[in-house]
Amino acid sequence: MINVDFEGFRYHKPLPNFYKINNPENPKREISDELLDELNQLAKKYNFSSISYSKLSDEFKKDFNIDFDNVIIFKFLMGDELLNMQPSREKCKLMDEEFQDYGVHIYEFADFLRENGFQADLLHPLDDGLSLRAIAMQSCECIITRSNICLFKDGLHNGFFMIHTSIDNLPFKNENEMLWVEDFCSTCGVCIDMCPEDAFDENEKVLRKICTAHKEGCNVCILRCPFFKRGYDKVKKRYERMKK
């Protein structure tokens, strides 16, 4: 994910409230395959790359002091032109505009669910009380890379929005097939070697006060990463050959 929660600086403005429909008083708990397919088609209409689902564990809810279980994750990929643009404050402004353009549609997705009898509320990406990356990890469809970016199979340059909902029968996954990425990253280090700001400490952790991703939109670590240059499937095949 393109991080939006760095301390001391925000290049994303808060999203306005665009709900048009109120939550139902007695929300439904199960969704049909047909309605879920309609939601997926609606997301594709606005160029979201895919949808994932997180079923939050009781331990997770206790740790973060939240009382909802089911989360729908709407993912989008940063545009190529923007991704390859040189870091600058202007780039940050354009990144925010892209963020806002996608964000508006999240309310349409929530209204679609509300209209069909389900509770649906945006998890605001600028809420300091939530860790959207931690919720994303509960989907079992992503992993945090060495450069501290949330990698989905769709791509490394993902942004995402989330809705928590009353729907209990979403197609949740129980096992994460991407855990091998941690081992691959530990042997790679391209993001560390190519970082123009040397924004990693002696333990190879990202130093947020030095990293300029949040100030100027630097994404060298994305552009140089094998997962971006070759894609998830090709990197996995190469890793499997190396392990034989």
Side-chain angles (χ1 to χ4, degrees), residues 178-196:
M178 300 179 66
L179 296 180
W180 65 271
V181 172
E182 294 178 346
D183 183 52
F184 176 85
C185 280
S186 71
T187 64
C188 179
V190 169
C191 54
I192 297 173
D193 294 339
M194 301 304 297
C195 179

Side-chain angles (χ1 to χ4, degrees), residues 7 19 24-25 34 72 74 88 101 106 126 160 164 181 235:
E7 296 178 2
Y19 295 120
E25 291 185 7
E34 291 76 16
I72 306 176
F74 298 87
S88 65
D101 287 344
I106 298 301
L126 302 185
F160 52 74
H164 72 84
V181 172
V235 175

Side-chain angles (χ1 to χ4, degrees), residues 25-232:
E25 291 185 7
N26 298 298
K28 296 179 182 178
R29 311 293 296 188
E30 295 189 0
I31 190 170
S32 66
D33 291 341
E34 291 76 16
L35 271 180
L36 195 58
D37 183 62
E38 282 188 45
L39 181 63
N40 274 273
Q41 294 304 317
L42 189 60
K44 289 180 180 179
K45 174 182 176 182
Y46 297 117
N47 297 317
F48 284 82
S49 55
S50 66
I51 297 177
S52 293
Y53 310 92
S54 286
K55 182 71 171 181
L56 307 186
S57 67
D58 290 339
E59 182 180 0
F60 184 92
K61 291 188 292 180
K62 182 179 179 181
D63 288 344
F64 284 92
N65 191 30
I66 53 181
D67 60 1
F68 51 84
D69 300 293
N70 316 306
V71 178
I72 306 176
I73 306 170
F74 298 87
K75 295 169 286 181
F76 67 92
L77 297 175
M78 182 189 292
D80 290 341
E81 183 176 351
L82 184 57
L83 190 65
N84 288 285
M85 185 177 175
Q86 288 299 310
S88 65
R89 289 280 175 158
E90 178 62 22
K91 181 178 181 179
C92 285
K93 179 181 177 182
L94 294 174
M95 290 172 71
D96 179 59
E97 290 177 0
E98 182 179 65
F99 171 84
Q100 300 289 334
D101 287 344
Y102 279 101
V104 167
H105 299 303
I106 298 301
Y107 292 97
E108 186 173 343
F109 303 155
D111 282 340
F112 170 84
L113 293 172
R114 291 179 176 190
E115 186 177 22
N116 284 282
F118 306 102
Q119 172 266 320
D121 293 287
L122 172 70
L123 291 178
H124 204 286
L126 302 185
D127 185 347
D128 292 330
L130 288 173
S131 171
L132 297 196
R133 295 198 316 162
I135 292 175
M137 286 292 291
Q138 291 271 299
S139 73
C140 293
E141 288 197 329
C142 70
I143 200 76
I144 305 301
T145 67
R146 203 171 184 179
S147 56
N148 204 36
I149 295 174
C150 205
L151 169 69
F152 288 87
K153 291 181 181 179
D154 312 55
L156 188 66
H157 52 307
N158 265 296
F160 52 74
F161 294 90
M162 299 184 181
I163 288 174
H164 72 84
T165 178
S166 59
I167 306 171
D168 289 323
N169 68 326
L170 295 169
F172 302 109
K173 291 190 175 182
N174 297 317
E175 295 185 10
N176 193 333
E177 301 174 352
M178 300 179 66
L179 296 180
W180 65 271
V181 172
E182 294 178 346
D183 183 52
F184 176 85
C185 280
S186 71
T187 64
C188 179
V190 169
C191 54
I192 297 173
D193 294 339
M194 301 304 297
C195 179
E197 305 296 332
D198 292 325
F200 292 83
D201 64 17
E202 63 275 9
N203 297 314
E204 299 180 345
K205 302 295 184 183
V206 175
L207 297 168
R208 292 185 172 186
K209 291 183 179 180
I210 296 178
C211 176
T212 58
H214 57 299
K215 297 177 182 178
E216 298 180 349
C218 177
N219 45 36
V220 169
C221 54
I222 293 177
L223 295 172
R224 298 288 186 172
C225 180
F227 287 104
F228 177 77
K229 297 178 72 174
R230 301 186 183 95
Y232 177 85

